[in-house]
Amino acid sequence: MRNKAGSVQATAMTIEDAAVLARLFSHLQKEDQISSFLWAFQDLRQPRCDSVLAKEAGILFYMTMPQGEAQQQRDDTMRAKRDAGVGILDASDEVDESPEWIEIKEVFGYDAEDDADNWWVQWGLLRERANGADVSEYKNIPIQIEHCVWP
């Protein structure tokens, strides 16, 4: 995430960045793929980071709203889901899914590695084929992090 002061999701976004880079570069077969992978990283991550940043304030407000009518409605909906045996992030015939919970699921339900894999299948392999590569021989290169240093 292009770190913003006070961002709640900055650490998670940094880990997602690393996961996308690792997954993209696991397909590296030759040096000329590097620029393509870096463009893919930007194309994948910028919209995600912008989206999370935009939703972050709304999610925080929704979860910590002051007492009042909107807070009571939120709590009543949560209780109705609990009483119906429905998960807080799910909907049922009796209880609708609120737009706020949909946003929360979009933020926390994202899989960075799946996003990178989808790019590889949709665009990466296509680019390689267009450049005349025999992609049937491509194998993923396993990437293992052996040591991590936190600041």
Side-chain angles (χ1 to χ4, degrees):
M1 177 180 247
R2 315 319 164 230
N3 274 335
K4 300 282 184 176
S7 173
V8 174
Q9 298 298 323
T11 302
M13 299 301 288
T14 301
I15 292 168
E16 287 180 7
D17 285 350
V20 169
L21 282 170
R23 186 66 83 171
L24 290 172
F25 277 84
S26 75
H27 300 288
L28 186 67
Q29 300 292 321
K30 50 192 188 300
E31 189 176 328
D32 71 345
Q33 291 175 295
I34 293 173
S35 64
S36 177
F37 289 165
L38 293 175
W39 280 106
F41 173 78
Q42 181 67 27
D43 286 345
L44 293 171
R45 298 302 299 153
Q46 190 65 54
R48 166 74 178 159
C49 292
D50 293 345
S51 172
V52 169
L53 193 58
K55 292 174 182 174
E56 194 171 64
I59 290 170
L60 285 173
F61 176 76
Y62 182 73
M63 300 304 286
T64 62
M65 67 177 61
Q67 290 187 354
E69 188 177 323
Q71 171 265 326
Q72 188 63 47
Q73 183 180 10
R74 178 203 64 199
D75 293 352
D76 290 345
T77 300
M78 293 170 118
R79 284 186 196 97
K81 286 185 173 190
R82 179 199 62 206
D83 295 345
V86 177
I88 195 68
L89 298 179
D90 299 322
S92 72
D93 293 336
E94 300 86 32
V95 183
D96 290 333
E97 189 172 39
S98 72
E100 294 83 5
W101 283 116
I102 292 170
E103 283 190 3
I104 291 168
K105 285 181 7 179
E106 288 172 1
V107 169
F108 292 101
Y110 174 80
D111 188 323
E113 291 178 328
D114 279 352
D115 209 13
D117 286 341
N118 290 339
W119 178 87
W120 175 249
V121 170
Q122 292 175 341
W123 301 108
L125 287 172
L126 180 66
R127 181 183 182 278
E128 293 304 303
R129 285 186 194 112
N131 289 334
D134 179 9
V135 296
S136 65
E137 296 180 14
Y138 280 19
K139 294 179 176 64
N140 286 358
I141 301 168
I143 296 177
Q144 181 177 357
I145 299 173
E146 294 180 15
H147 182 58
C148 184
V149 178
W150 291 98

